[in-house]
PDB file of all heavy atoms in Angstrom:
ATOM      1  N   ILE P   1      68.810 198.524  60.937  1.00 96.00           N
ATOM      2  CA  ILE P   1      70.247 198.558  61.162  1.00 96.00           C
ATOM      3  C   ILE P   1      70.663 199.940  61.661  1.00 96.00           C
ATOM      4  O   ILE P   1      70.320 200.965  61.070  1.00 96.00           O
ATOM      5  CB  ILE P   1      70.988 198.187  59.870  1.00 96.00           C
ATOM      6  CG1 ILE P   1      70.740 196.700  59.560  1.00 96.00           C
ATOM      7  CG2 ILE P   1      72.479 198.474  59.984  1.00 96.00           C
ATOM      8  CD1 ILE P   1      71.338 196.221  58.271  1.00 96.00           C
ATOM      9  N   ARG P   2      71.380 199.963  62.766  1.00 94.00           N
ATOM     10  CA  ARG P   2      71.862 201.223  63.359  1.00 94.00           C
ATOM     11  C   ARG P   2      73.147 201.716  62.711  1.00 94.00           C
ATOM     12  O   ARG P   2      73.465 202.893  62.775  1.00 94.00           O
ATOM     13  CB  ARG P   2      72.101 201.023  64.853  1.00 94.00           C
ATOM     14  CG  ARG P   2      70.915 201.341  65.766  1.00 94.00           C
ATOM     15  CD  ARG P   2      69.697 200.566  65.493  1.00 94.00           C
ATOM     16  NE  ARG P   2      68.648 200.847  66.480  1.00 94.00           N
ATOM     17  CZ  ARG P   2      67.459 200.292  66.497  1.00 94.00           C
ATOM     18  NH1 ARG P   2      67.146 199.408  65.549  1.00 94.00           N
ATOM     19  NH2 ARG P   2      66.565 200.616  67.402  1.00 94.00           N
ATOM     20  N   TRP P   3      73.914 200.814  62.136  1.00 93.00           N
ATOM     21  CA  TRP P   3      75.188 201.172  61.531  1.00 93.00           C
ATOM     22  C   TRP P   3      74.992 202.129  60.367  1.00 93.00           C
ATOM     23  O   TRP P   3      74.041 202.006  59.595  1.00 93.00           O
ATOM     24  CB  TRP P   3      75.892 199.912  61.039  1.00 93.00           C
ATOM     25  CG  TRP P   3      77.115 200.177  60.225  1.00 93.00           C
ATOM     26  CD1 TRP P   3      78.367 200.439  60.691  1.00 93.00           C
ATOM     27  CD2 TRP P   3      77.203 200.205  58.794  1.00 93.00           C
ATOM     28  NE1 TRP P   3      79.234 200.627  59.637  1.00 93.00           N
ATOM     29  CE2 TRP P   3      78.545 200.492  58.465  1.00 93.00           C
ATOM     30  CE3 TRP P   3      76.273 200.029  57.765  1.00 93.00           C
ATOM     31  CZ2 TRP P   3      78.976 200.586  57.150  1.00 93.00           C
ATOM     32  CZ3 TRP P   3      76.701 200.124  56.452  1.00 93.00           C
ATOM     33  CH2 TRP P   3      78.041 200.395  56.157  1.00 93.00           C
ATOM     34  N   ASN P   4      75.909 203.089  60.263  1.00 87.00           N
ATOM     35  CA  ASN P   4      75.913 204.025  59.152  1.00 87.00           C
ATOM     36  C   ASN P   4      77.364 204.276  58.770  1.00 87.00           C
ATOM     37  O   ASN P   4      78.171 204.677  59.604  1.00 87.00           O
ATOM     38  CB  ASN P   4      75.220 205.336  59.550  1.00 87.00           C
ATOM     39  CG  ASN P   4      75.118 206.314  58.401  1.00 87.00           C
ATOM     40  OD1 ASN P   4      76.108 206.645  57.761  1.00 87.00           O
ATOM     41  ND2 ASN P   4      73.912 206.793  58.152  1.00 87.00           N
ATOM     42  N   SER P   5      77.703 204.044  57.522  1.00 80.00           N
ATOM     43  CA  SER P   5      79.104 204.119  57.099  1.00 80.00           C
ATOM     44  C   SER P   5      79.694 205.514  57.261  1.00 80.00           C
ATOM     45  O   SER P   5      80.911 205.671  57.393  1.00 80.00           O
ATOM     46  CB  SER P   5      79.232 203.680  55.641  1.00 80.00           C
ATOM     47  OG  SER P   5      78.476 204.537  54.791  1.00 80.00           O
ATOM     48  N   LYS P   6      78.853 206.555  57.259  1.00 79.00           N
ATOM     49  CA  LYS P   6      79.361 207.920  57.313  1.00 79.00           C
ATOM     50  C   LYS P   6      79.508 208.459  58.719  1.00 79.00           C
ATOM     51  O   LYS P   6      80.328 209.342  58.966  1.00 79.00           O
ATOM     52  CB  LYS P   6      78.441 208.838  56.510  1.00 79.00           C
ATOM     53  CG  LYS P   6      78.388 208.510  55.020  1.00 79.00           C
ATOM     54  CD  LYS P   6      77.454 209.458  54.286  1.00 79.00           C
ATOM     55  CE  LYS P   6      77.410 209.140  52.799  1.00 79.00           C
ATOM     56  NZ  LYS P   6      76.484 210.040  52.054  1.00 79.00           N
ATOM     57  N   SER P   7      78.705 207.938  59.650  1.00 70.00           N
ATOM     58  CA  SER P   7      78.676 208.574  60.967  1.00 70.00           C
ATOM     59  C   SER P   7      78.993 207.645  62.127  1.00 70.00           C
ATOM     60  O   SER P   7      79.174 208.100  63.248  1.00 70.00           O
ATOM     61  CB  SER P   7      77.291 209.203  61.207  1.00 70.00           C
ATOM     62  OG  SER P   7      76.280 208.203  61.174  1.00 70.00           O
ATOM     63  N   THR P   8      79.039 206.353  61.899  1.00 74.00           N
ATOM     64  CA  THR P   8      79.192 205.417  62.999  1.00 74.00           C
ATOM     65  C   THR P   8      80.567 204.793  62.981  1.00 74.00           C
ATOM     66  O   THR P   8      80.912 204.076  62.045  1.00 74.00           O
ATOM     67  CB  THR P   8      78.125 204.302  62.912  1.00 74.00           C
ATOM     68  OG1 THR P   8      76.843 204.897  62.773  1.00 74.00           O
ATOM     69  CG2 THR P   8      78.142 203.452  64.160  1.00 74.00           C
ATOM     70  N   LYS P   9      81.377 205.066  64.005  1.00 82.00           N
ATOM     71  CA  LYS P   9      82.702 204.485  64.135  1.00 82.00           C
ATOM     72  C   LYS P   9      82.802 203.759  65.470  1.00 82.00           C
ATOM     73  O   LYS P   9      82.276 204.221  66.479  1.00 82.00           O
ATOM     74  CB  LYS P   9      83.777 205.564  64.042  1.00 82.00           C
ATOM     75  CG  LYS P   9      83.769 206.341  62.730  1.00 82.00           C
ATOM     76  CD  LYS P   9      84.062 205.445  61.533  1.00 82.00           C
ATOM     77  CE  LYS P   9      84.075 206.246  60.243  1.00 82.00           C
ATOM     78  NZ  LYS P   9      84.303 205.361  59.058  1.00 82.00           N
ATOM     79  N   GLY P  10      83.495 202.642  65.467  1.00 89.00           N
ATOM     80  CA  GLY P  10      83.637 201.872  66.687  1.00 89.00           C
ATOM     81  C   GLY P  10      82.321 201.246  67.105  1.00 89.00           C
ATOM     82  O   GLY P  10      81.804 201.540  68.172  1.00 89.00           O
ATOM     83  N   LEU P  11      81.767 200.362  66.254  1.00 92.00           N
ATOM     84  CA  LEU P  11      80.447 199.780  66.506  1.00 92.00           C
ATOM     85  C   LEU P  11      80.439 198.324  66.074  1.00 92.00           C
ATOM     86  O   LEU P  11      81.078 197.952  65.089  1.00 92.00           O
ATOM     87  CB  LEU P  11      79.370 200.536  65.720  1.00 92.00           C
ATOM     88  CG  LEU P  11      77.939 200.002  65.847  1.00 92.00           C
ATOM     89  CD1 LEU P  11      77.280 200.563  67.096  1.00 92.00           C
ATOM     90  CD2 LEU P  11      77.103 200.351  64.615  1.00 92.00           C
ATOM     91  N   TYR P  12      79.723 197.495  66.827  1.00 94.00           N
ATOM     92  CA  TYR P  12      79.366 196.171  66.341  1.00 94.00           C
ATOM     93  C   TYR P  12      77.846 196.100  66.276  1.00 94.00           C
ATOM     94  O   TYR P  12      77.137 196.776  67.028  1.00 94.00           O
ATOM     95  CB  TYR P  12      79.897 195.064  67.263  1.00 94.00           C
ATOM     96  CG  TYR P  12      79.149 194.984  68.576  1.00 94.00           C
ATOM     97  CD1 TYR P  12      78.010 194.200  68.713  1.00 94.00           C
ATOM     98  CD2 TYR P  12      79.570 195.717  69.685  1.00 94.00           C
ATOM     99  CE1 TYR P  12      77.309 194.145  69.911  1.00 94.00           C
ATOM    100  CE2 TYR P  12      78.883 195.676  70.881  1.00 94.00           C
ATOM    101  CZ  TYR P  12      77.750 194.886  70.990  1.00 94.00           C
ATOM    102  OH  TYR P  12      77.053 194.843  72.166  1.00 94.00           O
ATOM    103  N   GLU P  13      77.319 195.288  65.390  1.00 96.00           N
ATOM    104  CA  GLU P  13      75.874 195.107  65.288  1.00 96.00           C
ATOM    105  C   GLU P  13      75.593 193.715  64.746  1.00 96.00           C
ATOM    106  O   GLU P  13      76.215 193.290  63.764  1.00 96.00           O
ATOM    107  CB  GLU P  13      75.232 196.160  64.390  1.00 96.00           C
ATOM    108  CG  GLU P  13      73.720 196.032  64.308  1.00 96.00           C
ATOM    109  CD  GLU P  13      73.041 197.246  63.700  1.00 96.00           C
ATOM    110  OE1 GLU P  13      73.749 198.105  63.148  1.00 96.00           O
ATOM    111  OE2 GLU P  13      71.798 197.333  63.785  1.00 96.00           O
ATOM    112  N   SER P  14      74.677 193.008  65.392  1.00 97.00           N
ATOM    113  CA  SER P  14      74.364 191.639  64.986  1.00 97.00           C
ATOM    114  C   SER P  14      72.858 191.408  64.965  1.00 97.00           C
ATOM    115  O   SER P  14      72.134 191.858  65.860  1.00 97.00           O
ATOM    116  CB  SER P  14      75.001 190.622  65.939  1.00 97.00           C
ATOM    117  OG  SER P  14      76.403 190.688  65.891  1.00 97.00           O
ATOM    118  N   HIS P  15      72.406 190.713  63.934  1.00 98.00           N
ATOM    119  CA  HIS P  15      71.068 190.131  63.873  1.00 98.00           C
ATOM    120  C   HIS P  15      71.261 188.616  63.875  1.00 98.00           C
ATOM    121  O   HIS P  15      72.052 188.095  63.083  1.00 98.00           O
ATOM    122  CB  HIS P  15      70.333 190.549  62.602  1.00 98.00           C
ATOM    123  CG  HIS P  15      69.983 191.994  62.551  1.00 98.00           C
ATOM    124  ND1 HIS P  15      70.909 192.973  62.244  1.00 98.00           N
ATOM    125  CD2 HIS P  15      68.798 192.644  62.764  1.00 98.00           C
ATOM    126  CE1 HIS P  15      70.316 194.154  62.276  1.00 98.00           C
ATOM    127  NE2 HIS P  15      69.048 193.985  62.586  1.00 98.00           N
ATOM    128  N   PHE P  16      70.572 187.918  64.761  1.00 98.00           N
ATOM    129  CA  PHE P  16      70.790 186.484  64.856  1.00 98.00           C
ATOM    130  C   PHE P  16      69.471 185.725  64.916  1.00 98.00           C
ATOM    131  O   PHE P  16      68.425 186.269  65.291  1.00 98.00           O
ATOM    132  CB  PHE P  16      71.682 186.137  66.049  1.00 98.00           C
ATOM    133  CG  PHE P  16      71.139 186.573  67.388  1.00 98.00           C
ATOM    134  CD1 PHE P  16      70.413 185.709  68.180  1.00 98.00           C
ATOM    135  CD2 PHE P  16      71.371 187.861  67.861  1.00 98.00           C
ATOM    136  CE1 PHE P  16      69.912 186.103  69.414  1.00 98.00           C
ATOM    137  CE2 PHE P  16      70.887 188.271  69.095  1.00 98.00           C
ATOM    138  CZ  PHE P  16      70.150 187.390  69.870  1.00 98.00           C
ATOM    139  N   ILE P  17      69.531 184.469  64.531  1.00 98.00           N
ATOM    140  CA  ILE P  17      68.358 183.598  64.434  1.00 98.00           C
ATOM    141  C   ILE P  17      68.690 182.277  65.116  1.00 98.00           C
ATOM    142  O   ILE P  17      69.782 181.736  64.935  1.00 98.00           O
ATOM    143  CB  ILE P  17      67.995 183.316  62.956  1.00 98.00           C
ATOM    144  CG1 ILE P  17      67.804 184.610  62.179  1.00 98.00           C
ATOM    145  CG2 ILE P  17      66.752 182.438  62.861  1.00 98.00           C
ATOM    146  CD1 ILE P  17      67.916 184.432  60.675  1.00 98.00           C
ATOM    147  N   LYS P  18      67.743 181.756  65.891  1.00 98.00           N
ATOM    148  CA  LYS P  18      67.898 180.439  66.524  1.00 98.00           C
ATOM    149  C   LYS P  18      66.652 179.615  66.245  1.00 98.00           C
ATOM    150  O   LYS P  18      65.528 180.096  66.406  1.00 98.00           O
ATOM    151  CB  LYS P  18      68.084 180.566  68.035  1.00 98.00           C
ATOM    152  CG  LYS P  18      68.176 179.230  68.771  1.00 98.00           C
ATOM    153  CD  LYS P  18      68.139 179.422  70.277  1.00 98.00           C
ATOM    154  CE  LYS P  18      66.748 179.772  70.777  1.00 98.00           C
ATOM    155  NZ  LYS P  18      65.966 178.584  71.208  1.00 98.00           N
ATOM    156  N   VAL P  19      66.844 178.370  65.817  1.00 98.00           N
ATOM    157  CA  VAL P  19      65.736 177.450  65.563  1.00 98.00           C
ATOM    158  C   VAL P  19      66.079 176.094  66.164  1.00 98.00           C
ATOM    159  O   VAL P  19      67.196 175.597  65.978  1.00 98.00           O
ATOM    160  CB  VAL P  19      65.465 177.280  64.054  1.00 98.00           C
ATOM    161  CG1 VAL P  19      64.231 176.405  63.837  1.00 98.00           C
ATOM    162  CG2 VAL P  19      65.271 178.621  63.369  1.00 98.00           C
ATOM    163  N   ASN P  20      65.113 175.500  66.873  1.00 96.00           N
ATOM    164  CA  ASN P  20      65.277 174.170  67.450  1.00 96.00           C
ATOM    165  C   ASN P  20      64.333 173.176  66.779  1.00 96.00           C
ATOM    166  O   ASN P  20      63.180 173.510  66.494  1.00 96.00           O
ATOM    167  CB  ASN P  20      64.967 174.184  68.941  1.00 96.00           C
ATOM    168  CG  ASN P  20      65.962 174.983  69.736  1.00 96.00           C
ATOM    169  OD1 ASN P  20      65.854 176.205  69.828  1.00 96.00           O
ATOM    170  ND2 ASN P  20      66.948 174.311  70.309  1.00 96.00           N
ATOM    171  N   LEU P  21      64.823 171.961  66.566  1.00 96.00           N
ATOM    172  CA  LEU P  21      64.003 170.840  66.108  1.00 96.00           C
ATOM    173  C   LEU P  21      64.073 169.766  67.188  1.00 96.00           C
ATOM    174  O   LEU P  21      64.963 168.905  67.175  1.00 96.00           O
ATOM    175  CB  LEU P  21      64.506 170.282  64.771  1.00 96.00           C
ATOM    176  CG  LEU P  21      64.113 171.026  63.494  1.00 96.00           C
ATOM    177  CD1 LEU P  21      64.734 172.403  63.438  1.00 96.00           C
ATOM    178  CD2 LEU P  21      64.492 170.216  62.265  1.00 96.00           C
ATOM    179  N   PRO P  22      63.174 169.811  68.185  1.00 92.00           N
ATOM    180  CA  PRO P  22      63.291 168.906  69.340  1.00 92.00           C
ATOM    181  C   PRO P  22      63.221 167.423  68.976  1.00 92.00           C
ATOM    182  O   PRO P  22      63.937 166.606  69.572  1.00 92.00           O
ATOM    183  CB  PRO P  22      62.103 169.310  70.224  1.00 92.00           C
ATOM    184  CG  PRO P  22      61.763 170.692  69.809  1.00 92.00           C
ATOM    185  CD  PRO P  22      62.063 170.760  68.348  1.00 92.00           C
ATOM    186  N   GLU P  23      62.373 167.050  68.020  1.00 92.00           N
ATOM    187  CA  GLU P  23      62.257 165.628  67.690  1.00 92.00           C
ATOM    188  C   GLU P  23      63.548 165.092  67.083  1.00 92.00           C
ATOM    189  O   GLU P  23      63.961 163.960  67.371  1.00 92.00           O
ATOM    190  CB  GLU P  23      61.077 165.410  66.741  1.00 92.00           C
ATOM    191  CG  GLU P  23      59.728 165.679  67.394  1.00 92.00           C
ATOM    192  CD  GLU P  23      58.574 165.359  66.470  1.00 92.00           C
ATOM    193  OE1 GLU P  23      58.829 164.902  65.335  1.00 92.00           O
ATOM    194  OE2 GLU P  23      57.417 165.553  66.884  1.00 92.00           O
ATOM    195  N   GLU P  24      64.193 165.888  66.242  1.00 93.00           N
ATOM    196  CA  GLU P  24      65.470 165.476  65.660  1.00 93.00           C
ATOM    197  C   GLU P  24      66.644 165.741  66.594  1.00 93.00           C
ATOM    198  O   GLU P  24      67.755 165.292  66.348  1.00 93.00           O
ATOM    199  CB  GLU P  24      65.710 166.210  64.331  1.00 93.00           C
ATOM    200  CG  GLU P  24      64.779 165.805  63.217  1.00 93.00           C
ATOM    201  CD  GLU P  24      63.486 166.626  63.216  1.00 93.00           C
ATOM    202  OE1 GLU P  24      63.201 167.292  64.240  1.00 93.00           O
ATOM    203  OE2 GLU P  24      62.783 166.599  62.201  1.00 93.00           O
ATOM    204  N   LYS P  25      66.391 166.522  67.671  1.00 95.00           N
ATOM    205  CA  LYS P  25      67.419 166.890  68.645  1.00 95.00           C
ATOM    206  C   LYS P  25      68.585 167.620  67.980  1.00 95.00           C
ATOM    207  O   LYS P  25      69.757 167.341  68.238  1.00 95.00           O
ATOM    208  CB  LYS P  25      67.898 165.665  69.422  1.00 95.00           C
ATOM    209  CG  LYS P  25      66.798 165.040  70.270  1.00 95.00           C
ATOM    210  CD  LYS P  25      67.300 163.916  71.132  1.00 95.00           C
ATOM    211  CE  LYS P  25      66.161 163.366  71.983  1.00 95.00           C
ATOM    212  NZ  LYS P  25      66.617 162.244  72.855  1.00 95.00           N
ATOM    213  N   VAL P  26      68.208 168.570  67.105  1.00 96.00           N
ATOM    214  CA  VAL P  26      69.202 169.413  66.458  1.00 96.00           C
ATOM    215  C   VAL P  26      68.764 170.865  66.575  1.00 96.00           C
ATOM    216  O   VAL P  26      67.599 171.154  66.890  1.00 96.00           O
ATOM    217  CB  VAL P  26      69.416 169.035  64.971  1.00 96.00           C
ATOM    218  CG1 VAL P  26      69.874 167.587  64.845  1.00 96.00           C
ATOM    219  CG2 VAL P  26      68.154 169.282  64.164  1.00 96.00           C
ATOM    220  N   ALA P  27      69.691 171.771  66.333  1.00 97.00           N
ATOM    221  CA  ALA P  27      69.388 173.201  66.386  1.00 97.00           C
ATOM    222  C   ALA P  27      70.280 173.939  65.401  1.00 97.00           C
ATOM    223  O   ALA P  27      71.357 173.459  65.028  1.00 97.00           O
ATOM    224  CB  ALA P  27      69.584 173.748  67.797  1.00 97.00           C
ATOM    225  N   PHE P  28      69.809 175.133  65.002  1.00 97.00           N
ATOM    226  CA  PHE P  28      70.531 175.971  64.055  1.00 97.00           C
ATOM    227  C   PHE P  28      70.654 177.378  64.622  1.00 97.00           C
ATOM    228  O   PHE P  28      69.777 177.846  65.341  1.00 97.00           O
ATOM    229  CB  PHE P  28      69.785 176.049  62.713  1.00 97.00           C
ATOM    230  CG  PHE P  28      69.463 174.721  62.113  1.00 97.00           C
ATOM    231  CD1 PHE P  28      68.238 174.122  62.358  1.00 97.00           C
ATOM    232  CD2 PHE P  28      70.380 174.060  61.307  1.00 97.00           C
ATOM    233  CE1 PHE P  28      67.926 172.892  61.811  1.00 97.00           C
ATOM    234  CE2 PHE P  28      70.081 172.832  60.754  1.00 97.00           C
ATOM    235  CZ  PHE P  28      68.847 172.244  60.998  1.00 97.00           C
ATOM    236  N   TRP P  29      71.741 178.038  64.251  1.00 97.00           N
ATOM    237  CA  TRP P  29      71.973 179.417  64.689  1.00 97.00           C
ATOM    238  C   TRP P  29      72.692 180.160  63.570  1.00 97.00           C
ATOM    239  O   TRP P  29      73.669 179.668  63.016  1.00 97.00           O
ATOM    240  CB  TRP P  29      72.810 179.409  65.958  1.00 97.00           C
ATOM    241  CG  TRP P  29      73.048 180.737  66.602  1.00 97.00           C
ATOM    242  CD1 TRP P  29      72.188 181.443  67.395  1.00 97.00           C
ATOM    243  CD2 TRP P  29      74.248 181.515  66.543  1.00 97.00           C
ATOM    244  NE1 TRP P  29      72.788 182.602  67.822  1.00 97.00           N
ATOM    245  CE2 TRP P  29      74.041 182.675  67.308  1.00 97.00           C
ATOM    246  CE3 TRP P  29      75.480 181.333  65.901  1.00 97.00           C
ATOM    247  CZ2 TRP P  29      75.014 183.649  67.459  1.00 97.00           C
ATOM    248  CZ3 TRP P  29      76.454 182.309  66.057  1.00 97.00           C
ATOM    249  CH2 TRP P  29      76.213 183.451  66.831  1.00 97.00           C
ATOM    250  N   TRP P  30      72.158 181.331  63.242  1.00 98.00           N
ATOM    251  CA  TRP P  30      72.766 182.194  62.228  1.00 98.00           C
ATOM    252  C   TRP P  30      73.030 183.572  62.821  1.00 98.00           C
ATOM    253  O   TRP P  30      72.305 184.021  63.710  1.00 98.00           O
ATOM    254  CB  TRP P  30      71.837 182.390  61.032  1.00 98.00           C
ATOM    255  CG  TRP P  30      71.586 181.175  60.195  1.00 98.00           C
ATOM    256  CD1 TRP P  30      72.275 180.769  59.089  1.00 98.00           C
ATOM    257  CD2 TRP P  30      70.528 180.218  60.362  1.00 98.00           C
ATOM    258  NE1 TRP P  30      71.717 179.626  58.566  1.00 98.00           N
ATOM    259  CE2 TRP P  30      70.650 179.262  59.324  1.00 98.00           C
ATOM    260  CE3 TRP P  30      69.493 180.069  61.300  1.00 98.00           C
ATOM    261  CZ2 TRP P  30      69.788 178.186  59.188  1.00 98.00           C
ATOM    262  CZ3 TRP P  30      68.640 178.988  61.171  1.00 98.00           C
ATOM    263  CH2 TRP P  30      68.790 178.068  60.134  1.00 98.00           C
ATOM    264  N   LYS P  31      74.025 184.263  62.271  1.00 98.00           N
ATOM    265  CA  LYS P  31      74.287 185.633  62.693  1.00 98.00           C
ATOM    266  C   LYS P  31      74.810 186.445  61.515  1.00 98.00           C
ATOM    267  O   LYS P  31      75.739 186.017  60.825  1.00 98.00           O
ATOM    268  CB  LYS P  31      75.300 185.666  63.839  1.00 98.00           C
ATOM    269  CG  LYS P  31      75.566 187.070  64.378  1.00 98.00           C
ATOM    270  CD  LYS P  31      76.403 187.057  65.645  1.00 98.00           C
ATOM    271  CE  LYS P  31      77.846 186.740  65.358  1.00 98.00           C
ATOM    272  NZ  LYS P  31      78.729 187.079  66.528  1.00 98.00           N
ATOM    273  N   PHE P  32      74.191 187.600  61.284  1.00 98.00           N
ATOM    274  CA  PHE P  32      74.669 188.595  60.321  1.00 98.00           C
ATOM    275  C   PHE P  32      75.253 189.740  61.135  1.00 98.00           C
ATOM    276  O   PHE P  32      74.542 190.375  61.920  1.00 98.00           O
ATOM    277  CB  PHE P  32      73.523 189.112  59.454  1.00 98.00           C
ATOM    278  CG  PHE P  32      73.077 188.163  58.369  1.00 98.00           C
ATOM    279  CD1 PHE P  32      72.508 186.940  58.669  1.00 98.00           C
ATOM    280  CD2 PHE P  32      73.233 188.512  57.026  1.00 98.00           C
ATOM    281  CE1 PHE P  32      72.093 186.075  57.674  1.00 98.00           C
ATOM    282  CE2 PHE P  32      72.829 187.660  56.015  1.00 98.00           C
ATOM    283  CZ  PHE P  32      72.250 186.422  56.338  1.00 98.00           C
ATOM    284  N   THR P  33      76.540 190.012  60.961  1.00 97.00           N
ATOM    285  CA  THR P  33      77.251 190.945  61.835  1.00 97.00           C
ATOM    286  C   THR P  33      77.965 192.034  61.034  1.00 97.00           C
ATOM    287  O   THR P  33      78.517 191.773  59.963  1.00 97.00           O
ATOM    288  CB  THR P  33      78.280 190.187  62.700  1.00 97.00           C
ATOM    289  OG1 THR P  33      77.593 189.344  63.612  1.00 97.00           O
ATOM    290  CG2 THR P  33      79.162 191.128  63.481  1.00 97.00           C
ATOM    291  N   ILE P  34      77.953 193.245  61.598  1.00 96.00           N
ATOM    292  CA  ILE P  34      78.747 194.359  61.085  1.00 96.00           C
ATOM    293  C   ILE P  34      79.768 194.739  62.155  1.00 96.00           C
ATOM    294  O   ILE P  34      79.408 194.940  63.315  1.00 96.00           O
ATOM    295  CB  ILE P  34      77.868 195.583  60.763  1.00 96.00           C
ATOM    296  CG1 ILE P  34      76.765 195.221  59.769  1.00 96.00           C
ATOM    297  CG2 ILE P  34      78.722 196.732  60.216  1.00 96.00           C
ATOM    298  CD1 ILE P  34      75.736 196.318  59.579  1.00 96.00           C
ATOM    299  N   LEU P  35      81.039 194.824  61.765  1.00 95.00           N
ATOM    300  CA  LEU P  35      82.098 195.263  62.656  1.00 95.00           C
ATOM    301  C   LEU P  35      82.732 196.513  62.055  1.00 95.00           C
ATOM    302  O   LEU P  35      83.382 196.447  61.015  1.00 95.00           O
ATOM    303  CB  LEU P  35      83.143 194.159  62.821  1.00 95.00           C
ATOM    304  CG  LEU P  35      82.634 192.827  63.398  1.00 95.00           C
ATOM    305  CD1 LEU P  35      83.717 191.767  63.314  1.00 95.00           C
ATOM    306  CD2 LEU P  35      82.170 193.015  64.828  1.00 95.00           C
ATOM    307  N   GLN P  36      82.499 197.660  62.698  1.00 94.00           N
ATOM    308  CA  GLN P  36      83.004 198.937  62.201  1.00 94.00           C
ATOM    309  C   GLN P  36      84.105 199.431  63.120  1.00 94.00           C
ATOM    310  O   GLN P  36      83.843 199.876  64.246  1.00 94.00           O
ATOM    311  CB  GLN P  36      81.880 199.964  62.140  1.00 94.00           C
ATOM    312  CG  GLN P  36      82.323 201.371  61.761  1.00 94.00           C
ATOM    313  CD  GLN P  36      82.874 201.440  60.343  1.00 94.00           C
ATOM    314  OE1 GLN P  36      82.128 201.240  59.392  1.00 94.00           O
ATOM    315  NE2 GLN P  36      84.155 201.732  60.208  1.00 94.00           N
TER     316      GLN P  36
END
């Protein structure tokens, strides 16, 4: 994580995950985000 509460102002940061299940024809997406 690049974000730092003491030194970083005006920042967004996201970690995201994508998974596909082709046989079921479904997909999932997650995102953990920091908005400073």
Side-chain angles (χ1 to χ4, degrees):
I1 291 176
R2 269 58 175 181
W3 172 83
N4 184 306
S5 61
K6 296 180 180 179
S7 61
T8 309
K9 300 297 181 183
L11 178 84
Y12 72 89
E13 182 166 11
S14 296
H15 292 78
F16 59 95
I17 305 160
K18 177 189 74 93
V19 185
N20 293 83
L21 280 66
E23 292 184 2
E24 292 88 345
K25 296 185 178 180
V26 301
F28 306 93
W29 185 79
W30 292 268
K31 183 171 74 165
F32 284 65
T33 293
I34 303 171
L35 300 172
Q36 174 65 66

